[in-house]
Every structure is written in structure tokens, then in C-alpha cells.
């Protein structure tokens, strides 16, 4: 489904290069621990803090690629942190409209997470036509869509294969 984008040339930038913005790295650890506790541990659900999403998107060139017309998918979008951060950053440079949002796709297994994404998007960007954002409730491994995407971005579930539910293993 990916048409050929590279996030980094060479090694990814070190986390220590992330802007602090008054938040020490132990804050990241606290947020990650909270996400693990609050997430669905049976499928490795972990939410990425907004500031880290912004840092990844800016450092990887994904924001500029989006501004240049790239189609982007987050195949495990959770509450939409990466897609919301992308819109947040991009609209500082360009007026974002419906056709721009139509180039973003979020796929999420959990109805609750997808509803939370939609709620947060509408709350943060009330002036944007949310219906243009493609939000699909599905398991990405089972999702059948002929569309190709320029860039995949997101935070996939973090779980050892051995720890997956038995009925899930054959699909991977």
C-alpha cells in the first residue's frame, strides 16, 4: 500500500534532539507509562504524546510532504495524535481545506479510540470540515483498500508476537 516514501535518510534523529519546550524527558516517560496503563495492553495500545508527534513530523519532512500534496495514512491511528499534529503544524504555513484533509487517512480497530479522534479533531479544529478526514474503523491487517499512500506514519502497537491473543496471530 505504500508507494515509496522514506522517513529518514540514514539514522533517525536521536530523541535527545527533540525540543524540550519546558518538558524534560522524564515527562515523556511518565506519559508513556500512563499510556500503557490506560491503553489496551492485550493489543499493545500505547498513545504518543502530542509534542513527540510534532517533533517526529517536523524532523522527518512529513509536514512538508503533506504541504506538497502527499497522501498520508496512520494505520493504527488511536486518538489521531499524528494526524491532528500534522494538521496543527501544517496550518501554520498554509490554509488547510477539505481537499487537503481528504489526503489524510486514519485506520483504527477501536471504535472508542476512533470516536475520541473525531471528537478531539472537531474540538481542536472546529473551522475545518472534519467529514473530509478519512477515518476507517478496521483492523489494518484485514482492511482492503486499493488506494496507495505516499507516507505511513504512526505508532504501531508495541507487543511481542508471543503475547498477542491466539486468534490474532494467524492474521499477521
Amino acid at each position: 500500500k505504500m508507494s515509496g516514501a522514506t522517513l529518514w535518510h540514514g539514522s533517525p534523529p536521536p530523541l535527545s534532539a527533540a525540543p524540550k519546550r519546558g518538558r524534560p524527558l522524564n515527562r515523556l516517560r511518565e506519559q508513556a507509562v500512563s499510556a500503557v496503563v490506560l491503553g489496551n495492553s492485550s493489543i499493545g495500545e500505547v498513545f504518543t504524546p502530542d509534542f513527540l508527534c510534532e517533533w517526529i513530523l517536523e524532523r522527518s519532512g512529513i509536514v512538508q510532504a503533506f504541504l506538497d500534496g502527499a497522501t498520508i495514512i496512520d494505520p493504527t491511528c488511536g486518538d489521531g495524535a499524528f494526524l491532528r499534529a500534522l494538521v496543527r503544524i501544517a496550518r501554520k504555513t498554509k490554509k488547510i481545506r477539505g481537499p487537503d484533509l481528504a489526503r489524510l487517512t486514519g485506520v483504527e480497530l477501536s471504535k472508542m479510540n476512533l470516536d475520541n479522534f473525531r471528537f478531539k479533531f472537531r474540538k481542536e479544529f472546529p473551522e475545518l470540515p472534519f467529514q473530509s478526514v478519512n477515518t476507517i474503523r478496521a483492523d489494518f491487517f484485514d482492511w482492503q483498500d486499493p488506494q496507495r499512500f505516499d507516507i505511513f506514519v504512526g505508532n504501531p502497537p508495541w507487543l511481542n508476537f508471543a503475547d498477542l491473543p491466539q486468534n490474532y496471530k494467524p492474521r499477521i
Side-chain angles (χ1 to χ4, degrees):
K1 294 206 179 202
M2 187 168 168
S3 63
T6 302
L7 298 184
W8 284 285
H9 299 285
S11 298
L15 184 57
S16 61
K20 301 293 187 280
R21 296 186 191 174
R23 299 178 184 183
L25 288 181
N26 65 351
R27 175 87 172 130
L28 171 61
R29 183 175 47 246
E30 290 170 13
Q31 289 177 338
V33 168
S34 295
V36 171
V37 171
L38 296 175
N40 182 344
S41 61
S42 70
I43 58 171
E45 185 176 85
V46 178
F47 295 103
T48 309
D50 287 347
F51 79 94
L52 190 54
C53 292
E54 291 174 6
W55 178 77
I56 290 168
L57 292 166
E58 289 172 335
R59 296 290 296 225
S60 65
I62 293 174
V63 174
Q64 188 58 52
F66 174 66
L67 291 170
D68 292 342
T71 55
I72 299 173
I73 185 171
D74 183 342
T76 55
C77 72
D79 68 353
F82 277 96
L83 297 178
R84 288 183 293 108
L86 180 61
V87 171
R88 186 178 313 119
I89 298 165
R91 75 181 192 161
K92 292 177 186 175
T93 304
K94 173 187 173 186
K95 183 174 175 98
I96 303 299
R97 298 196 161 112
D100 298 312
L101 294 178
R103 293 185 285 108
L104 300 177
T105 300
V107 179
E108 174 55 38
L109 180 63
S110 164
K111 179 184 182 320
M112 184 178 71
N113 289 345
L114 203 56
D115 288 345
N116 196 23
F117 169 28
R118 292 170 179 150
F119 173 80
K120 286 181 175 185
F121 192 95
R122 286 185 185 116
K123 184 177 178 183
E124 186 172 357
F125 311 109
E127 75 285 2
L128 295 178
F130 181 78
Q131 64 274 13
S132 297
V133 175
N134 301 308
T135 54
I136 295 115
R137 182 172 175 229
D139 185 325
F140 183 71
F141 290 113
D142 296 332
W143 184 52
Q144 298 292 318
D145 189 299
Q147 182 178 354
R148 295 181 63 85
F149 298 93
D150 299 312
I151 299 172
F152 278 50
V153 66
N155 182 3
W158 291 91
L159 193 64
N160 290 326
F161 184 80
D163 295 330
L164 284 171
Q166 287 301 320
N167 64 343
Y168 201 77
K169 290 178 183 180
R171 298 187 318 200
I172 298 179

